[in-house]
Amino acid sequence: YKRQVDNSLIGEVQMANKTDYNNLVKDAKKAFKSFSKIPAPKRGELVRQLGNSLRKNKSNLGALVSWEMGKSLQEGLGEVQEMIDICDFSTGLSRQLYGLTMHSERPDHRMYEQYHPLGIVGIISAFNFPVAVWSWNVTLAWVCGNVCIWKPSEKTPYCSIACQILVSDILKKNNIKPGVSCLVTGDKSLGRMLSDDNRINLLSATGSTKMGKDVAMRTGKRLGKTLLELGGNNAMIITKNADIEHAINNLVFGAIGTCGQRCTSTRRVIVHESIIDKFKLDLKKAYKQIKIGNPLNENNHMGPLIDQNAVDQYIKAIDDIKTQPFIKITDKVGPRGPLGSKLEEYLLKNSINLNPTFNTETYQVALALVSKGMGITITDKIMQKEIAPFMRMSCILHHRVHYRSISYIL
């Protein structure tokens, strides 16, 4: 594995094979039998200790995230802080696994509900958040009495190894079997093993939509449980009454953070016609101030893309935009999309087809701007009658609130 900043060698990591994987699953099953019987508050104590260990090692782990993944140092430190926060949150939940008590229709009977652990929780995490996503899953899973097998991105193995070292030390000090937290490094073949394996009671996967579809299909064949957090192609709508300075500050952070390699990255901007000229001018000024370079240098705002493949995809997206008109006026109305959104209906009624790149998650720092002079004019009427209803429906359909703890208990 090589460092993204200067292509220098970080080190070598051995990839697991099928035998290694099966041995880990066996260890996890054995550990579950004893770990699930430990009272939830005692399991929460392990999570509390993990949080303290992360506090102690925050600067080193944050620098490692920045060093290996390429995000800015402040983002790396912020990611570790997210881990600390979820440890605090989960520790509190360990004393709140409540259940209902109900009246029975049968004499001398009493009914109550009690949550039970699922078993083995598989965790597939992505390179862009190499440590935080794991912590969001493992802390809640532990509190609920589950054991975990973590398959991190093969692009950021050292961050996962560092976390595993911290966890192993905590488990050893508390006389807990190491199978409670397992790590398996490798490519997508290991992810498919987790997806196909009936011994995995819940599979939490974070990554691209393409990956998520494969996980869902494979897990669905065995009627398994999944928890998927996948890609996004997010748009910001700027009305004529918006605070442009405030909007651009948030827009730039949303677009360049993690070099645009987040499911929450801002990729599209829809701007009212009355402010588009000033908006473009201010946006260009903001982008000119962005410093790109070594992410460990706190003066830089943005580091490199994760690897050469990401660079190639970025260049391809730019080439596609150059070779294809961004918005094409046609004589025919295209097929209606799956959501039948108001914005989509408007575009189709007026025979406007967006460049495919506009509707594609490029996963790099590519920002699409839609307004006057680009084949469509965003007026008050369009904002109120077409885009506003679309946004309301979009919030209902796509707002992702993850009550992850619900999925970890039966």
Side-chain angles (χ1 to χ4, degrees), residues 200-349:
I200 305 302
N201 303 94
L202 169 67
L203 182 55
S204 174
T206 302
S208 68
T209 301
K210 180 181 178 181
M211 179 277 293
K213 289 180 179 179
D214 187 56
V215 169
M217 178 189 70
R218 291 173 177 275
T219 310
K221 284 183 178 180
R222 60 179 177 88
L223 298 180
K225 294 181 175 67
T226 58
L227 183 62
L228 305 177
E229 185 172 2
L230 310 176
N233 196 19
N234 309 292
M236 179 180 284
I237 295 177
I238 313 297
T239 67
K240 64 179 181 180
N241 299 318
D243 183 330
I244 296 181
E245 181 180 358
H246 182 69
I248 287 181
N249 287 339
N250 286 276
L251 169 60
V252 172
F253 175 77
I256 73 164
T258 321
C259 211
Q261 299 171 115
R262 294 188 301 216
C263 62
T264 55
S265 293
T266 305
R267 308 193 191 284
R268 304 182 288 181
V269 193
I270 301 171
V271 187
H272 192 278
E273 62 164 349
S274 64
I275 61 171
I276 182 60
D277 293 331
K278 175 175 174 50
F279 186 85
K280 286 194 296 183
L281 182 63
D282 291 351
L283 184 60
K284 288 180 180 179
K285 289 180 180 178
Y287 265 77
K288 287 181 179 179
Q289 298 175 37
I290 301 302
K291 296 179 180 179
I292 304 172
N294 188 335
L296 291 175
N297 184 339
E298 295 188 37
N299 293 321
N300 293 326
H301 303 102
M302 189 170 70
L305 290 168
I306 186 63
D307 56 20
Q308 185 60 46
N309 181 56
V311 175
D312 294 339
Q313 290 180 6
Y314 175 69
I315 294 174
K316 182 180 182 302
I318 298 300
D319 289 341
D320 288 344
I321 292 174
K322 290 180 179 179
T323 56
Q324 304 171 16
F326 186 72
I327 292 181
K328 182 179 179 182
I329 308 299
T330 65
D331 295 325
K332 296 182 179 180
V333 175
R336 183 168 177 158
L339 297 181
S341 69
K342 292 292 184 180
L343 178 60
E344 186 179 59
E345 289 177 14
Y346 168 79
L347 295 175
L348 294 177
K349 284 178 182 177

Side-chain angles (χ1 to χ4, degrees), residues 21-87:
Y21 168 79
N22 283 322
N23 288 335
L24 275 182
V25 175
K26 291 177 182 178
D27 289 343
K29 287 193 70 174
K30 290 179 181 178
F32 173 70
K33 291 181 180 180
S34 57
F35 186 69
S36 60
K37 295 178 181 179
I38 297 175
K42 296 293 185 182
R43 297 193 297 256
E45 170 61 17
L46 296 176
V47 176
R48 188 191 68 82
Q49 292 178 28
L50 175 59
N52 287 342
S53 180
L54 290 169
R55 286 182 175 90
K56 181 180 178 180
N57 294 278
K58 178 179 177 179
S59 59
N60 289 334
L61 184 56
L64 178 60
V65 170
S66 177
W67 193 57
E68 184 177 27
M69 185 270 152
K71 63 173 61 177
S72 70
L73 180 58
Q74 290 304 315
E75 287 184 273
L77 294 172
E79 183 168 346
V80 179
Q81 185 59 50
E82 289 188 38
M83 302 174 75
I84 295 169
D85 293 342
I86 195 64
C87 285

Side-chain angles (χ1 to χ4, degrees), residues 349-389:
K349 284 178 182 177
N350 291 274
S351 303
I352 299 173
N353 290 338
L354 295 175
N355 180 301
T357 306
F358 185 79
N359 292 323
T360 302
E361 183 184 19
T362 57
Y363 220 61
Q364 291 93 27
V365 191
L367 189 64
L369 189 65
V370 178
S371 191
K372 182 176 63 175
M374 302 170 194
I376 180 173
T377 301
I378 307 299
T379 62
D380 287 338
K381 181 179 179 181
I382 295 175
M383 280 282 185
Q384 295 169 5
K385 294 188 177 181
E386 310 295 345
I387 296 180

Side-chain angles (χ1 to χ4, degrees), residues 9-206:
L9 182 67
I10 297 177
E12 297 180 356
V13 176
Q14 183 175 345
M15 298 292 100
N17 55 35
K18 190 172 184 179
T19 300
D20 297 326
Y21 168 79
N22 283 322
N23 288 335
L24 275 182
V25 175
K26 291 177 182 178
D27 289 343
K29 287 193 70 174
K30 290 179 181 178
F32 173 70
K33 291 181 180 180
S34 57
F35 186 69
S36 60
K37 295 178 181 179
I38 297 175
K42 296 293 185 182
R43 297 193 297 256
E45 170 61 17
L46 296 176
V47 176
R48 188 191 68 82
Q49 292 178 28
L50 175 59
N52 287 342
S53 180
L54 290 169
R55 286 182 175 90
K56 181 180 178 180
N57 294 278
K58 178 179 177 179
S59 59
N60 289 334
L61 184 56
L64 178 60
V65 170
S66 177
W67 193 57
E68 184 177 27
M69 185 270 152
K71 63 173 61 177
S72 70
L73 180 58
Q74 290 304 315
E75 287 184 273
L77 294 172
E79 183 168 346
V80 179
Q81 185 59 50
E82 289 188 38
M83 302 174 75
I84 295 169
D85 293 342
I86 195 64
C87 285
D88 291 345
F89 179 71
S90 300
T91 300
L93 286 182
S94 69
R95 295 180 179 274
Q96 300 180 62
L97 298 181
Y98 305 132
L100 296 175
T101 301
M102 298 156 281
H103 291 284
S104 173
E105 64 181 14
R106 301 176 63 183
D108 300 321
H109 280 72
R110 179 186 179 189
M111 295 191 299
Y112 71 96
E113 63 180 21
Q114 180 179 353
Y115 290 117
H116 295 279
L118 285 173
I120 300 177
V121 174
I123 303 170
I124 299 175
S125 61
F127 72 85
N128 57 344
F129 284 88
V131 293
V133 170
W134 165 76
S135 70
W136 298 339
N137 285 274
V138 75
T139 54
L140 291 170
W142 279 2
V143 162
C144 295
N146 304 290
V147 298
C148 298
I149 298 177
W150 181 17
K151 189 273 171 194
S153 169
E154 61 271 26
K155 297 180 181 182
T156 52
Y158 282 95
C159 290
S160 60
I161 293 172
C163 291
Q164 184 68 11
I165 291 173
L166 297 180
V167 169
S168 297
D169 182 57
I170 293 170
L171 296 179
K172 185 177 180 179
K173 289 179 179 178
N174 289 271
N175 296 315
I176 302 294
K177 291 182 178 180
V180 168
S181 179
C182 301
L183 173 67
V184 55
T185 57
D187 58 15
K188 61 184 179 182
S189 63
L190 286 172
R192 288 172 176 169
M193 290 181 199
L194 285 165
S195 301
D196 296 334
D197 195 342
N198 279 318
R199 295 171 294 180
I200 305 302
N201 303 94
L202 169 67
L203 182 55
S204 174
T206 302

